[in-house]
Amino acid sequence: MSQGVVAITEQRDGRFRKVSYEVVSEGRRLADGLGCQLTAVVMGSGMDALAAEVKSYGADTVVVLDAPELADYRTDAYTNVLAGWLSGAAPAVILTGATAQGKDLAARLAARLDAGLAMDCTAVSLQGGVLTCTRPMFGGKIFADVQIQGSPQIIAVRPNVMRIAESPKESAVEKPAPQLGEIRTAVVAKTMDAGSKVELTEADVIVSGGRGTGGNFVPIEELAAALNGAVGASRSAVDEGWRKHGDQVGQTGKVVSPALYVACGISGAIQHLAGMSTSKVIVAINKDAEAPIFSKADYGACGDIFQILPAVTEAVKKLKG
Amino acid sequence: MDIVVLVKQVPDTESLVQIAGDGVSIKKDDIKWIMNPYDELAVEEALRIKEAKGGTVTVLSVGAQKAQETIRTALAMGADKGLLVNDPAAEGGDALATARILAAAVKNLPFDLIIAGQRAVDEDNYQVGAAVAEFLGIPHVSLVSKAELLEGRIRCQRAVEGGSVTVEAPLPALFTTQRGLNEPRYASLPGIMKAKKKPLEVKTVAALGLDPARVGAAGRKVVVKALRLPPERKAVRMIAGETPAAIAAELVRVLHEEARLI
Ligand SMILES: Cc1cc2nc3c(=O)[nH]c(=O)nc-3n(C[C@H](O)[C@H](O)[C@H](O)COP(=O)(O)OP(=O)(O)OC[C@H]3O[C@@H](n4cnc5c(N)ncnc54)[C@H](O)[C@@H]3O)c2cc1C
Ligand SMILES: Nc1ncnc2c1ncn2[C@@H]1O[C@H](COP(=O)(O)O)[C@@H](O)[C@H]1O
């Protein structure tokens, strides 16, 4: 009988991604509900410091899978090592973040383990020992409540949605030898974008610009900076070459869930809404009072972004002192 | 270079998606169906590789009879042949069940490279490509925004949060597409005419030697209990003011005092 919850953390270059705290916190909540143990898994090379850090979020055990070959994420290396360790651990539930890495790993792992996987979930509820996961589908037009049959159940949660809760614990740290298996892929280069420090999918605040910017993103960037947020864009803005592909929010771009999403000069096409409709609060600024974005927003301001945004930035700066 | 492209027919992104009477599926009539946008990128990339290196492009889909239209679209763009797995037993599967069929179908085809979309914009599973690669025992790279063929291997630029990572994998391999990879071509009129004569085979699950209990709705591990509409937001509150500065001040005030976000 398999039991226990495993939360798979994600780090890059020796630093946890925010989603790691989210999956461990959510894992704690589910393990408490199921009355079982929570194990947090840290994978990488030279992970001792991170193993210590994860203790604050309530794992009973921290398993560190540490090898030089795991320094950079590679699907085959990570899947082999994780599947190797999981064959002994045999958990009932595996949680991971639905990030570029987490989605990739979860998908390959699910096929390897022949396990059901609920991808990009925005909620997990527990009733009578049964987990029900909520997944937005069709670009968020429909929500599906799904249950996974068999064991383990793999759940990938949408970044920025699960609540982070600190609950320090004297976790036991284990360092089993990673079973690397055959690794056929190699990471030959890494390029990190210069500029914006806050990653779109992790940002608490996103200020996005569309065709209405006419290509001038300066007021957008200034407001994002004042709010310590990230800059997003509509597909039109990306297609015009004003912003890079990685900034695109929507059905063929990133799916984001910030606390505050400010849409500036964006009409609110259904494919754009697909990428941001689970944001907690949506503010729209558009000069067209009939723009569809207003019907999906919590707060709206009708006017020219080039007049309103600088004033908003000023007011924010004044407020923050 | 023999390339297999996995294409799925999905509802047009503009469509109104309605929940069917059973509460666990969507109404399929009245929907306009299109090729999954990420699969268009996959077809385009396959055609570009074929144009540069020679070889064949085979388009593979699991779906309804209607999915032949999507295969024909790919043939009209320039793909050489199509294969549709159409079988009631194949319907209603989750990502893993569908990947099992696709992998079985690919096994009977010559291939050096498989290209799939990163996700199908219906169920947004982000899963099938990786699962097909696993079932075939070949490496995969997901979210590829640039692909380059080298001797016996492929070099892929993979989009990750905040940047990109370049990964090399030996062939045969599979990769999934990210926007930025290319701009898909439109089918030309002569292309559409030619496509009508290109081979499009239709197969059943049994013909692939698969156990019907492991595929389609019967093979599903992720069971849909209910579909519902997303929670409605309250009606928008428009922030009015005499001047842009007044609007801005009021907006910041509500975000600070009421929404407590600033
Ligand atoms: C298959 C498919 C996938 C797609 N995927 C995506 C996706 O992932 N993301 C996405 O965003 N789109 C996507 N789209 C495109 C989408 O349909 C829209 O075309 C796009 O979102 C429009 O971008 P926009 O709102 O910036 O531009 P527009 O629709 O042109 O809107 C510009 C808005 O700016 C306002 N405006 C102009 N000037 C000002 C000003 N000075 N001050 C204030 N307001 C101003 C206008 O009133 C207007 O409402 C997709 C389309 C398809 C078919
Ligand atoms: N029924 C299908 N037939 C052919 N290809 C599919 C099918 N389902 C998924 N795929 C491929 O897998 C990709 C990812 O789909 P998904 O995992 O369902 O989001 C799609 O973009 C297609 O390339």
Side-chain angles (χ1 to χ4, degrees):
Chain A
M1 183 60 196
S2 44
Q3 55 178 356
V5 176
V6 165
I8 299 170
T9 64
E10 179 176 337
Q11 56 86 23
R12 197 192 291 160
D13 299 325
R15 290 188 56 193
F16 274 133
R17 309 293 306 275
K18 184 174 162 203
V19 77
S20 300
Y21 307 115
E22 295 163 7
V23 292
V24 178
S25 301
E26 182 67 7
R28 182 71 265 164
R29 191 179 72 80
L30 296 180
D32 286 342
L34 291 165
C36 67
Q37 300 267 306
L38 171 68
T39 304
V41 176
V42 180
M43 300 176 82
S45 176
M47 291 289 105
D48 289 345
L50 288 191
E53 197 179 325
V54 82
K55 288 181 178 180
S56 308
Y57 299 88
D60 299 294
T61 309
V62 180
V63 165
V64 185
L65 296 164
D66 204 314
E69 291 84 351
L70 300 177
D72 290 314
Y73 173 74
R74 281 179 291 174
T75 314
D76 47 6
Y78 272 55
T79 308
N80 292 350
V81 166
L82 202 53
W85 173 75
L86 284 166
S87 66
V93 181
I94 300 172
L95 282 179
T96 176
T99 55
Q101 173 175 323
K103 286 191 289 228
D104 184 71
L105 179 60
R108 187 93 194 200
L109 188 70
R112 174 117 6 133
L113 303 179
D114 193 16
L117 161 59
M119 191 66 98
D120 204 21
C121 299
T122 52
V124 184
S125 69
L126 177 64
Q127 221 170 25
V130 178
L131 297 176
T132 303
C133 305
T134 300
R135 312 189 47 231
M137 299 194 320
F138 300 95
K141 286 181 214 168
I142 300 275
F143 278 21
D145 293 322
V146 302
Q147 290 174 359
I148 304 169
Q149 291 184 339
S151 185
Q153 307 180 31
I154 308 181
I155 302 170
V157 298
R158 180 171 291 185
N160 244 357
V161 174
M162 302 299 160
R163 221 168 56 83
I164 296 177
E166 287 207 36
S167 56
K169 215 176 189 128
E170 256 326 298
S171 328
V173 177
E174 293 172 10
K175 282 184 98 172
Q179 303 165 36
L180 291 163
E182 188 192 2
I183 303 173
R184 290 175 287 189
T185 58
V187 173
V188 295
K190 284 196 280 183
T191 325
M192 287 304 126
D193 303 332
S196 140
K197 281 157 246 76
V198 195
E199 213 297 304
L200 214 48
T201 53
E202 293 185 343
D204 285 326
V205 177
I206 295 174
V207 186
S208 276
R211 195 185 296 284
T213 61
N216 178 3
F217 267 71
V218 173
I220 310 256
E221 278 165 357
E222 286 178 348
L223 178 58
L227 292 168
N228 194 23
V231 174
S234 73
R235 174 155 165 179
S236 300
V238 172
D239 285 345
E240 292 288 347
W242 301 336
R243 302 297 296 186
K244 54 187 174 9
H245 286 291
D247 290 350
Q248 184 182 318
V249 170
Q251 198 148 21
T252 47
K254 287 195 172 134
V255 179
V256 297
S257 231
L260 174 61
Y261 188 90
V262 188
C264 309
I266 292 178
S267 61
I270 189 89
Q271 298 91 350
H272 187 78
L273 301 174
M276 42 65 89
S277 61
T278 56
S279 305
K280 271 129 255 168
V281 171
I282 297 172
V283 174
I285 305 173
N286 196 302
K287 69 178 181 192
D288 173 9
E290 303 294 317
I293 188 76
F294 286 126
S295 68
K296 296 291 169 196
D298 300 286
Y299 301 99
C302 185
D304 184 344
I305 53 170
F306 294 103
Q307 296 186 344
I308 295 178
L309 283 180
V312 173
T313 305
E314 273 319 299
V316 169
K317 281 186 180 158
K318 219 162 92 192
L319 186 70
K320 291 195 164 178
Chain B
M1 183 68 46
D2 293 314
I3 308 172
V4 177
V5 186
L6 309 182
V7 302
K8 188 175 193 190
Q9 192 176 45
V10 298
D12 186 340
T13 52
E14 297 280 349
S15 354
L16 173 69
V17 181
Q18 289 177 297
I19 300 165
D22 64 4
V24 293
S25 63
I26 61 154
K27 288 188 188 161
K28 300 237 164 82
D29 336 317
D30 302 333
I31 280 184
K32 186 179 159 219
W33 297 85
I34 59 164
M35 187 189 301
N36 180 38
Y38 287 107
D39 302 353
E40 289 180 352
L41 301 175
V43 172
E44 178 63 35
E45 197 63 16
L47 295 176
R48 289 187 189 189
I49 294 171
K50 179 190 148 175
E51 282 154 12
K53 312 254 168 186
T56 63
V57 176
T58 305
V59 181
L60 170 62
S61 188
V62 172
Q65 282 295 350
K66 217 177 157 40
Q68 289 193 23
E69 296 162 8
T70 294
I71 295 179
R72 289 276 175 220
T73 302
L75 297 176
M77 287 169 76
D80 300 295
K81 54 188 191 328
L83 172 58
L84 172 69
V85 181
N86 171 257
D87 192 326
E91 281 171 28
D94 59 11
L96 221 49
T98 300
R100 194 166 283 121
I101 302 175
L102 291 166
V106 171
K107 268 190 195 140
N108 300 323
L109 301 167
F111 71 94
D112 304 294
L113 180 65
I114 305 171
I115 313 179
Q118 58 156 284
R119 72 186 196 253
V121 301
D122 48 8
E123 289 195 19
D124 292 311
N125 280 319
Y126 301 86
Q127 244 189 96
V128 167
V132 168
E134 174 66 23
F135 292 149
L136 293 171
I138 61 172
H140 86 266
V141 185
S142 59
L143 299 171
V144 171
S145 55
K146 190 172 169 218
E148 196 187 338
L149 275 172
L150 308 172
E151 198 47 50
R153 59 192 208 282
I154 188 157
R155 179 182 291 167
C156 297
Q157 192 173 310
R158 169 165 201 272
V160 298
E161 293 87 357
S164 68
V165 175
T166 307
V167 181
E168 283 186 11
L171 296 176
L174 179 150
F175 74 83
T176 75
T177 59
Q178 171 68 320
R179 243 174 59 81
L181 181 65
N182 57 45
E183 278 305 324
R185 70 193 67 186
Y186 291 104
S188 64
L189 200 55
I192 295 170
M193 297 314 289
K194 267 196 224 155
K196 291 185 177 155
K197 295 203 193 72
K198 289 182 179 172
L200 197 174
E201 207 183 338
V202 182
K203 281 195 175 172
T204 61
V205 163
L208 295 172
L210 283 164
D211 174 4
R214 298 271 285 159
V215 299
R220 230 185 145 93
K221 286 192 150 76
V222 182
V223 179
V224 178
K225 289 290 163 181
L227 297 184
R228 56 195 162 92
L229 296 175
E232 289 271 351
R233 275 176 201 275
K234 277 196 298 206
V236 63
R237 181 158 145 207
M238 296 302 287
I239 308 289
E242 292 292 314
T243 61
I247 296 174
E250 177 61 6
L251 181 61
V252 173
R253 188 194 67 77
V254 289
L255 290 178
H256 174 60
E257 289 176 11
E258 295 174 21
R260 298 188 175 280
L261 284 167
I262 303 181

